[in-house]
Amino acid sequence: MKVWLNGNIIDQTDAHIAVTDRGLLLGDGFFETMRSHRGRVAWLDRHHERLESHAALIGLAPNLLPNISEIADAVRLLCAEIDGEGAVIRLTVTRGSGPRGLLPPVECHPTVLMTAAPFSRPAHDNGLVLATSKQVRRNPWSVANRIKSLNYMDNIVARCEAAACGAEEALVLSVDGSVAETTIANLFGVRDGAFYTPPADSGILPGLARQFVIDWCNGLGVVLHETSILPNELSSMESVFVCNALQGIRFVRSIDDVAIMSDLIKTDILMQLAGDIEKSLCLGIDV
């Protein structure tokens, strides 16, 4: 398997990262997960904008990141190494090596790694089973919550909690007890034809798929509320779904063993949304 490391395509077994790398030692860095179809990444410009915004937020000069053309070329070469039309691309950025201590070096030389793995959606999806994390809360003031930080410990703990409950994914609340997101996706509820989603200042990472849904609703005149949602309000929703830039839309079957009104999830408007986002993620090719 080939990887892209600091501008070079090399065998995975030949890829080495220094033991002084701050990403390894301190989680000092961020990543982006992108979906490609036939060697091209959907929403590449938006992914790149988010990479630059993450870099700026942690004080890393955005011009040290690979540009869009470099990323596109690397994706094409990496995808040629794997079977199938779909791939998941992970682009990881660390601040690079530095001396002992928290303060980064004055002159940074980031480590940038890109990998590709086959991706395909399951033929059948019976709905996502969620369990609410009791250990983890989203903090609106946390820098790590506003980027795809390399320190994913909160999400790992929450996912382990969910697995122990027999659930596939964790629902994470904000510090005020309202609904925030899952460990890897944003959340929406639908009631009386209107869409509801937690606001950006609730401690969530506002994802690209979340923005797609918001823009889609605005374009079609669908009522959308970015508002605080209490956990017990989810059970009164006609449908609940999560979304991210890899999987698109996934409908939720139950939360903490309470079933969502799944007989209503296949309304025309929701199926149109699911189809439109999938088509966008596949660049409109064969969808």
Side-chain angles (χ1 to χ4, degrees):
M1 183 69 70
K2 301 285 188 181
V3 301
W4 188 97
L5 180 62
N6 297 329
N8 300 304
I9 297 286
I10 58 177
D11 286 330
Q12 180 174 297
T13 54
D14 294 328
H16 302 288
I17 295 174
V19 296
T20 53
D21 191 279
R22 291 173 59 88
L24 169 66
L25 298 177
L26 299 170
D28 186 3
F30 50 87
F31 70 97
E32 191 77 356
T33 303
M34 303 174 284
R35 179 165 161 185
S36 75
H37 188 73
R38 296 187 181 178
R40 293 170 54 204
V41 169
W43 308 349
L44 180 56
D45 55 344
R46 283 165 277 180
H47 282 293
H48 191 259
E49 286 174 6
R50 187 159 70 172
L51 284 166
E52 290 190 323
S53 70
H54 286 0
L57 188 59
I58 69 168
L60 181 67
N63 64 351
L64 296 176
L65 302 176
N67 61 41
I68 289 182
S69 295
E70 289 174 309
I71 295 173
D73 288 343
V75 168
R76 177 177 51 80
L77 292 170
L78 291 174
C79 288
E81 297 286 323
I82 62 178
D83 295 328
E85 294 187 329
V88 51
I89 308 297
R90 160 124 179 187
L91 192 158
T92 303
V93 179
T94 84
R95 209 185 298 258
S97 291
R100 179 175 170 78
L102 294 183
L103 287 176
V106 174
E107 185 176 344
C108 293
H109 300 281
T111 299
V112 185
L113 171 69
M114 261 188 282
T115 61
F119 174 81
S120 62
R121 291 181 62 85
H124 302 286
D125 186 351
N126 295 322
L128 190 60
V129 176
L130 300 180
T132 303
S133 172
K134 295 179 173 60
Q135 292 182 261
V136 176
R137 293 286 180 102
R138 291 295 191 243
N139 177 0
W141 297 277
S142 168
V143 172
N145 277 354
R146 297 199 299 256
I147 67 174
K148 292 180 75 71
S149 168
L150 293 185
N151 191 327
Y152 239 46
M153 188 55 67
D154 279 351
N155 294 312
I156 293 168
V157 168
R159 181 64 72 85
C160 288
E161 275 189 274
C165 295
E168 182 179 350
E169 173 61 300
L171 174 65
V172 183
L173 306 181
S174 185
V175 289
D176 65 359
S178 64
V179 171
E181 58 189 351
T182 73
T183 63
I184 61 169
N186 293 126
L187 182 141
F188 285 80
V190 182
R191 185 170 56 216
D192 298 328
F195 283 49
Y196 296 80
T197 193
D201 62 3
S202 61
I204 66 172
L205 176 66
L208 302 184
R210 176 182 183 273
Q211 190 60 50
F212 180 98
V213 176
I214 291 172
D215 293 341
W216 184 90
C217 287
N218 291 336
L220 292 180
V222 176
V223 176
L224 172 74
H225 302 284
E226 293 185 66
T227 185
S228 180
I229 303 170
L230 294 177
N232 60 8
E233 292 181 291
L234 291 177
S235 60
S236 68
M237 297 288 182
E238 296 160 8
S239 183
V240 175
F241 65 87
V242 301
C243 61
N244 65 24
L246 181 61
Q247 298 177 330
I249 297 293
R250 288 198 67 190
F251 292 107
V252 175
R253 189 173 83 208
S254 67
I255 304 173
D256 297 328
D257 297 323
V258 176
I260 305 298
M261 300 170 66
S262 58
D263 57 322
L264 297 178
I265 67 171
K266 293 186 178 180
T267 59
D268 290 343
I269 192 72
L270 286 174
M271 295 312 294
Q272 180 182 344
L273 170 62
D276 285 350
I277 195 170
E278 181 67 14
K279 183 176 181 179
S280 182
L281 286 170
C282 288
L283 305 154
I285 304 170
D286 296 341
V287 176

